[in-house]
Amino acid sequence: MNEPRVAVVGAGAWGTTLAALVARTEPVLLLCHAPETAAAIRDTGRNERRLPGIDLPPMLHASADPGEFAAATDLVIFAVPSTHLRATAEVVAGHVAPAADLLSVVKGLERGSLLRMSEVLADAGGFVPSRIAALSGPNLALEVARRLPASAVVAASDPALAARVAARLGRREFRLYVNNDLLGVELCGALKNVLAIAAGAVDELGFGDNGKAGLMTRGLAEMMRLGIAAGANPLTFAGLAGIGDVIATCGSKLSRNHQLGVELARGRPWAELEGTLPGTAEGAYAVDAALALAERHGVDMPIAREVHNALFEGKSVQRCLLDLLARESKDELADLQAWVRSLTPVSGDPA
């Protein structure tokens, strides 16, 4: 087998899925955290723990040694949990070729710094920010691994980088679009996970389709409020990374964040759930950073605040949802109108 020119860092469900997608057409290195995981994948041709029942292509090589990065590697995909991205980038950075394209598929915000995942990569790995793209969208890993139709968006400040990544990873059954709003795409990816926790709770408590639709719509509104305040393009929130991923993550039982909401509604505390979920429920790690970012920009995020209360304050999910229902009604478009006014030239100003 030729030396892999693509490396995927992280052997979770999504990292393994993307490695398998690439390995259908060219060799790929899947860098695992644990040598035992790498050995099991090499021995069985499967990552049974993360992608049960999925056979991996023979051109996928699993290893736990970053020293196996080839000098010719020209695309490195980071697919580790958000809480481990900084440490992973620090370990891997010295093995990444100076000209390689970098792609983050991690959906989160770093607690404390409030950095987005591309910013964490740049900061921890010493990478030039313009080399880093992000992929986001309605991408439930098991469905993509089964070759069911899916789509996503690749965002980068450099349009040529986004185009290269989309051309490299895109398939007929995995349709990729591009977007230059890296900020908006990454905020969508982090914030929709918080909303999905609330959606899982709504499903478990039997609030019905009308109630869930209302929650998702108002959740998208608060995502957009924060995005506008941070400088993102509001239209990004109407795209694949925004409403597309909201629909998938809030509606599917394959979503770990949705599953977390279901379990919280059953009365199980986060302290008990954290180590038992099959994978990482990123919304639980993003919610406090999202609220801190909202406070920085003077934005109200009531749904995210109640998700925090259910996770970390011992407040019952039922009480959280009832308190949301008791909120005073408001103008549905007030926040968007403020954004439109900010774009409208003041009389006498140049258009």
Side-chain angles (χ1 to χ4, degrees), residues 265-339:
R266 290 172 177 169
R268 298 181 65 192
W270 169 241
E272 174 187 325
L273 291 166
E274 184 174 15
T276 62
L277 292 170
T280 303
E282 289 284 10
Y285 301 98
V287 63
D288 283 353
L291 289 170
L293 196 61
E295 183 177 1
R296 174 186 292 177
H297 291 288
V299 171
D300 188 25
M301 298 187 73
I303 296 173
R305 189 168 57 248
E306 294 298 348
V307 169
H308 162 87
N309 290 340
L311 284 166
F312 306 118
E313 304 296 338
K315 188 174 179 180
S316 74
V317 169
Q318 291 89 337
R319 185 72 259 167
C320 290
L321 293 172
L322 288 173
D323 285 350
L324 286 172
L325 290 172
R327 284 173 53 83
E328 183 178 349
S329 295
K330 58 181 288 187
D331 183 341
E332 182 184 31
L333 301 180
D335 303 302
L336 280 179
Q337 288 169 350
W339 172 73

Side-chain angles (χ1 to χ4, degrees), residues 50 80-84 193 256-257 274 277-283 285:
R50 299 302 188 193
V80 299
S82 62
T83 52
H84 300 303
N193 283 329
R256 293 184 292 271
N257 293 283
E274 184 174 15
L277 292 170
T280 303
E282 289 284 10
Y285 301 98

Side-chain angles (χ1 to χ4, degrees), residues 211-303:
K212 184 175 179 180
L215 175 87
M216 291 168 63
T217 305
R218 295 311 303 164
L220 185 63
E222 68 180 59
M223 288 169 56
M224 192 179 296
R225 275 200 300 274
L226 181 54
I228 289 171
N233 185 340
L235 293 179
T236 296
F237 292 78
L240 288 166
I243 194 169
D245 211 356
V246 166
I247 292 169
T249 314
C250 291
S252 175
K253 294 180 180 178
L254 293 175
S255 162
R256 293 184 292 271
N257 293 283
H258 181 278
Q259 184 178 351
L260 172 56
V262 169
E263 295 298 331
L264 288 172
R266 290 172 177 169
R268 298 181 65 192
W270 169 241
E272 174 187 325
L273 291 166
E274 184 174 15
T276 62
L277 292 170
T280 303
E282 289 284 10
Y285 301 98
V287 63
D288 283 353
L291 289 170
L293 196 61
E295 183 177 1
R296 174 186 292 177
H297 291 288
V299 171
D300 188 25
M301 298 187 73
I303 296 173

Side-chain angles (χ1 to χ4, degrees), residues 83-147:
T83 52
H84 300 303
L85 182 60
R86 178 172 291 277
T88 301
E90 290 172 350
V91 169
V92 169
H95 302 277
V96 176
D101 293 334
L102 309 174
L103 177 66
S104 167
V105 300
V106 187
K107 298 177 179 180
L109 294 167
E110 187 175 51
R111 188 177 298 179
S113 73
L114 309 187
L115 294 177
R116 307 186 318 274
M117 295 296 98
S118 66
E119 295 174 318
V120 172
L121 273 179
D123 185 54
F127 301 120
V128 177
S130 60
R131 292 174 58 193
I132 306 172
L135 182 146
S136 197
N139 302 142
L140 299 163
L142 192 56
E143 290 190 357
V144 176
R146 290 172 174 165
R147 303 197 190 194

Side-chain angles (χ1 to χ4, degrees), residues 338-351:
W339 172 73
V340 170
R341 284 196 298 271
S342 74
L343 298 182
T344 304
V346 177
S347 179
D349 286 351

Side-chain angles (χ1 to χ4, degrees), residues 178-201:
V178 296
N179 189 331
N180 65 1
D181 182 20
L182 180 61
L183 165 63
V185 166
E186 288 194 285
L187 283 179
C188 285
L191 300 175
K192 60 88 188 181
N193 283 329
V194 177
L195 180 55
I197 296 172

Side-chain angles (χ1 to χ4, degrees), residues 38-85:
I41 292 173
R42 291 195 301 268
D43 291 345
T44 67
R46 288 186 172 188
N47 187 346
E48 198 65 32
R49 184 182 175 201
R50 299 302 188 193
L51 288 178
I54 301 296
D55 292 321
L56 303 176
M59 284 197 291
L60 186 155
H61 172 65
S63 172
D65 179 9
E68 291 198 31
F69 271 63
T73 299
D74 57 9
L75 175 61
V76 181
I77 302 171
F78 288 86
V80 299
S82 62
T83 52
H84 300 303
L85 182 60

